[in-house]
Amino acid sequence: MRELTYWQGVQEALTEEMARDEMVFLLGEDIGVYGGAFGVTRGMLERFGSERVRNTPVSEAAIVGVALGAAVTGMRPVVEIMFMDFITLAMDQLVNHAAKMHYIFGDQAQVPLVVRTPAGGWRSYGPSHSQSWEAWFLHTPGLKVVAPATPYDAKGLLKTAIRDDNPVLFVEHKLLYATKGPVPQEEYTVPLGQAHIKRAGRDVTLVTYSYLTLMALEVAQELEKENIGVEVIDLRSLSPLDINQVVASVKKTGRVVIAEEGHKTGGVGAEVGMQIQERAYEYLDAPIQRVAAKDVPIPFSYQLEKHILPSKEDIYRAVTQVMAQI
Amino acid sequence: MPELVDYLRTMLLIRRFEERVDKLVAQGFIKGTSHLYAGQEAVATGTCSVLSREDYITSTHRGHGHFIAKGGDVKRIMAELFGKIDGYCQGKGGTQHMADFSIGHLGSNGITGGGIPLATGAALSIKMRHTHQVVVCFFGDGAVNQGVFHESLNMAALWQLPIVYLCENNLYAMSTPVWEAVPLRDLALRAAAYNMPHATVDGNDVVAVREVVGEAVDRARAGHGPFFVEAKTYRFFGHSRSDQRLYRSREEEAQWQAKDPILRLQGTLLETGLLSPEGLSALEDEAMREVEGAVEFAHSSPLPSPEAGMEGLYVPEGRGVLA
Ligand SMILES: Cc1ncc(C[n+]2csc(CCOP(=O)(O)OP(=O)(O)O)c2C)c(N)n1
Ligand SMILES: [Mg+2]
């Protein structure tokens, strides 16, 4: 099968959906000539023109709000927020408006809105350009949250997100953009709300998503040498959450580690861990372990940054700890 | 006007600093990204020349020039860019997140427009504490499209706060030309909506900047409220390290290179005899030496210990202002 990079997977989804449905259009800062801060929309202005690849002023609140207004009146906007950190400026439009409109107004209001945004650290971008805030949005009923780890999933999930009639926050990762993977030539989509078992294992369930999936797979490989079978589950969608697949795995292994890049307190792991204990408490042979960023801002200096962000060593240690419990 | 030589000294220091940072980023000694101020030196220099140490500024992602002009120590700025412990923020902040409150620098800012309400609040505090300080709030043409810009200017005008909003219009916000982002020729007109006096100035003329900002600062200090200055200028480098500059022409760049604020000031000084050619090369050498000293300092400063990243989240009990 041909290989594409993650950014190409994202771009192909955008291109195909724009070709398929003329209501689909893009808006965001520097997505035109510049091709977006991470180059995801490069070349798209030439192909689709400035009406549909709409370069905006630096106005995140209005970008998302304007997209919402377009969405409820028949368009299918796909917004790019340059860094996930800047989503804070559009929080009101997403949380107080987009997420609740269908619930309150009923079928007259459909919100086919996608907000794409890159999260993540390890780039020495400092405290306002390195954060992973997806956990906030699990706490927002009405929003769907997707965070793919592979080019295949990036393309397939984005196509589904664009066809979804509900607001979807689509979290990309800066360190994934250049990674490569198989992407079929033929049309396909990936449904939202389905986790994916990346690697089967009998001893411990390692739940993760986005960039940490790559780390988790490397750790699982290493632990294989020590005869520990790690089942790596990539959640892919955080909301809706495929807890059934996670629970099925836990019933098999009895041990769980949840790894995420966001801060530990109030993170994705807190929610997933609690749902596991609600549904599979009697199957657990050890307390659930979490691996996450420490609860301080992400500092600039790489020496500090890598200490604050989760590491492969952290995941390795957590797995060996849950395995040590009898 | 002997102070013109001082302006040139500051502007040369900023220029050499930025050129050196550009190389250090390419060589990987400075990680992440950087937004260079070269081309805009007259704005920070002319502006900060009318401020005292106690006056406040807020800065932006393109902030090295503001920091140097406000009296920042280039050694400690450079060390911060290297992520070292002798940097202004011990490596926690990096290029977009630096401050030195002791010289009135309330922080550069990674969020476009993020410093504007903060500056406005500092001006409110000055008014409430009766300290006779003034705030200068630096921001770019891109920031005038953020909601907080409008919300803040409105409050400053309503409450007649001692603040000068200094918009550096360098024609682009990243790749977006100002004429595709604002339907006005002069951004200063934005202030008219808030009934705020305003002026547009040639941002590549350090004396013109000093005159206009000087008057605005005097007004603010005398209790006559906020003022908006638009300084028209140009950044010589790309937006940040990865910028190919596809959105502007080499001809346009050449036109602005010809208006280089440093060459203009040098020209004036040489013509009027305020500076000799020997004096000029001495200033050049001095700037080079200072920058090289800063680079050496940054190289030899240690990296922070990893655990230092866990420190300082809260003011410890007994160490706060109320203690
Ligand atoms: C809230 C927010 N949105 C977008 C960005 C990305 N960004 C960084 S600088 C910049 C352009 C700012 O342009 P301007 O205000 O004109 O300043 P200049 O870079 O020209 O100095 C943008 C869009 C950001 N840092 N923060
Ligand atoms: Mg600008």
Side-chain angles (χ1 to χ4, degrees):
Chain A
M1 199 186 293
R2 79 182 166 145
E3 298 238 313
L4 288 186
T5 60
Y6 185 95
W7 78 261
Q8 286 170 323
V10 173
Q11 180 174 94
E12 228 174 55
L14 295 172
T15 305
E16 287 179 11
E17 292 308 298
M18 285 175 80
R20 177 177 177 269
D21 180 350
E22 62 183 21
M23 294 300 140
V24 178
F25 75 106
L26 313 183
L27 71 171
E29 293 159 17
D30 303 286
I31 63 169
V33 182
Y34 201 93
F38 295 93
V40 174
T41 58
R42 69 188 81 156
M44 293 190 70
L45 173 68
E46 289 77 359
R47 165 136 186 218
F48 293 103
S50 58
E51 271 294 294
R52 295 182 73 197
V53 179
R54 191 168 278 272
N55 211 50
T56 65
V58 188
S59 310
E60 286 80 7
I63 294 168
V64 174
V66 163
L68 172 60
V72 296
T73 52
M75 302 297 291
R76 306 189 81 85
V78 182
V79 167
E80 176 173 298
I81 296 291
M82 195 183 289
F83 284 74
M84 189 176 203
D85 314 72
F86 313 156
I87 203 117
T88 53
L89 284 82
M91 208 64 170
D92 172 60
Q93 292 300 322
L94 269 180
V95 173
N96 285 324
H97 307 277
K100 340 183 137 49
M101 224 150 160
H102 178 70
Y103 176 76
I104 305 170
F105 297 158
D107 278 345
Q108 59 182 337
Q110 310 210 338
V111 185
L113 164 67
V114 177
V115 178
R116 297 177 37 240
T117 191
W122 291 286
R123 290 285 296 254
S124 289
Y125 283 158
S128 65
H129 286 65
S130 309
Q131 303 167 100
S132 299
W133 286 129
E134 55 277 2
W136 281 346
F137 300 96
L138 304 194
H139 201 64
T140 309
L143 274 187
K144 298 187 179 182
V145 183
V146 182
T150 64
Y152 179 92
D153 286 340
K155 180 177 175 188
L157 285 165
L158 183 54
K159 284 170 72 85
T160 309
I162 293 171
R163 295 180 197 181
D164 200 297
D165 289 323
N166 299 287
V168 180
L169 180 63
F170 193 87
V171 184
E172 298 165 12
H173 197 288
K174 291 161 211 151
L175 292 191
L176 288 175
Y177 280 133
T179 60
K180 280 193 165 169
V183 177
Q185 205 93 44
E186 314 76 61
E187 161 97 20
Y188 71 95
T189 57
V190 174
L192 306 192
Q194 282 189 12
H196 185 221
I197 297 183
K198 287 280 177 206
R199 179 193 172 104
R202 62 194 178 278
D203 296 320
V204 53
T205 303
L206 175 50
V207 183
T208 188
Y209 61 93
S210 191
Y211 177 65
L212 259 64
T213 306
L214 271 52
M215 279 192 184
L217 286 169
E218 287 179 34
V219 173
Q221 185 95 38
E222 278 172 44
L223 285 161
E224 188 71 52
K225 291 182 213 137
E226 298 180 29
N227 217 15
I228 297 176
V230 182
E231 181 143 298
V232 177
I233 300 187
D234 173 7
L235 291 171
R236 300 198 289 190
S237 294
L238 304 178
S239 182
L241 183 69
D242 187 1
I243 197 66
N244 291 338
Q245 214 173 154
V246 174
V247 165
S249 173
V250 173
K251 286 183 177 172
K252 185 173 70 173
T253 63
R255 297 168 201 268
V256 191
V257 172
I258 307 162
E260 69 189 294
E261 192 179 328
H263 300 293
K264 185 170 184 181
T265 300
V268 172
E271 181 56 36
V272 174
M274 194 65 198
Q275 290 199 28
I276 292 170
Q277 93 80 51
E278 283 166 351
R279 289 166 197 237
Y281 171 71
E282 64 276 22
Y283 292 89
L284 290 173
D285 297 326
I288 298 169
Q289 288 267 352
R290 281 186 282 168
V291 176
K294 298 181 173 66
D295 287 329
V296 292
I298 315 297
F300 161 74
S301 183
Y302 65 95
Q303 178 92 336
L304 301 173
E305 184 182 27
K306 68 174 192 246
H307 180 68
I308 297 309
L309 293 175
S311 64
K312 277 197 280 182
E313 293 69 39
D314 293 339
I315 300 175
Y316 188 97
R317 205 174 313 120
V319 172
T320 49
Q321 265 172 31
V322 294
M323 288 308 297
Q325 303 269 338
I326 310 172
Chain B
M1 290 198 287
E3 69 274 16
L4 293 188
V5 176
D6 291 331
Y7 300 166
L8 183 59
R9 181 177 288 116
T10 303
M11 290 164 68
L12 283 170
L13 181 58
I14 297 172
R15 178 69 56 88
R16 295 291 100 83
F17 186 90
E18 296 294 61
E19 288 166 350
R20 198 68 171 85
V21 169
D22 184 50
K23 289 212 184 72
L24 290 162
V25 170
Q27 293 164 341
F29 289 113
I30 295 175
K31 309 218 183 304
T33 191
S34 71
H35 306 88
L36 303 176
Y37 196 68
Q40 304 182 202
E41 294 90 347
V43 183
T45 304
T47 297
C48 291
S49 76
V50 302
L51 299 179
S52 71
R53 188 182 165 92
E54 290 70 37
D55 290 327
Y56 294 130
I57 65 165
T58 60
S59 174
T60 66
H61 58 288
R62 200 176 300 290
H64 309 158
H66 305 144
F67 210 157
I68 292 172
K70 192 66 172 64
D73 176 353
V74 286
K75 287 196 170 76
R76 294 185 62 199
I77 299 174
M78 192 64 92
E80 186 63 29
L81 303 187
F82 274 64
K84 301 294 191 71
I85 55 172
D86 294 302
Y88 268 108
C89 303
Q90 295 83 49
K92 282 180 175 171
T95 171
Q96 300 195 76
H97 316 86
M98 279 191 267
D100 183 1
F101 285 25
S102 75
I103 58 167
H105 187 301
L106 299 180
S108 45
N109 208 306
I111 298 296
T112 304
I116 302 176
L118 183 103
T120 308
L124 173 64
S125 154
I126 289 167
K127 190 165 177 171
M128 295 179 77
R129 292 180 295 116
H130 310 291
T131 59
H132 299 288
Q133 294 155 286
V134 168
V135 184
V136 171
C137 172
F138 287 103
F139 53 90
D141 48 283
V144 306
N145 294 317
Q146 289 286 24
V148 285
F149 166 85
H150 298 274
E151 298 172 31
S152 301
L153 261 69
N154 186 50
M155 282 188 200
L158 269 178
W159 297 340
Q160 289 293 289
L161 302 180
I163 182 166
V164 177
Y165 293 100
L166 211 146
C167 178
E168 294 184 74
N169 180 358
N170 61 9
L171 305 188
Y172 297 90
M174 209 160 145
S175 69
T176 304
V178 65
W179 53 91
E180 288 179 18
V182 181
L184 289 171
R185 233 184 48 149
D186 292 323
L187 298 181
L189 287 177
R190 282 280 169 95
Y194 302 101
N195 199 17
M196 188 185 296
H198 51 86
T200 294
V201 65
D202 177 352
N204 284 20
D205 179 346
V206 68
V207 177
V209 172
R210 180 193 65 182
E211 297 306 310
V212 170
V213 178
E215 249 177 71
V217 163
D218 289 347
R219 278 184 87 257
R221 211 184 294 284
H224 300 306
F227 198 96
F228 187 105
V229 178
E230 175 194 11
K232 298 216 197 257
T233 183
Y234 203 75
R235 63 166 155 73
F236 286 170
F237 286 97
H239 170 73
S240 62
R241 78 183 288 182
S242 47
D243 182 2
Q244 314 275 309
R245 313 194 323 284
L246 298 175
Y247 49 85
R248 68 186 199 189
S249 68
R250 301 299 85 93
E251 294 73 45
E252 182 187 278
E253 290 178 355
Q255 281 163 20
W256 281 92
Q257 293 279 357
K259 294 189 255 187
D260 185 330
I262 291 181
L263 295 183
R264 277 167 73 175
L265 181 57
Q266 280 176 8
T268 312
L269 288 172
L270 292 172
E271 272 165 37
T272 54
L274 280 164
L275 191 66
S276 65
E278 298 73 43
L280 176 58
S281 56
L283 281 182
E284 288 273 9
D285 292 347
E286 190 188 321
M288 269 328 260
R289 266 201 312 279
E290 217 180 311
V291 170
E292 287 314 316
V295 175
E296 262 170 53
F297 178 81
H299 271 304
S300 60
S301 171
L303 280 166
S305 74
E307 298 72 33
M310 293 303 294
E311 291 163 12
L313 187 60
Y314 294 107
V315 177
E317 251 173 80
R319 265 222 268 141
V321 265
L322 299 177

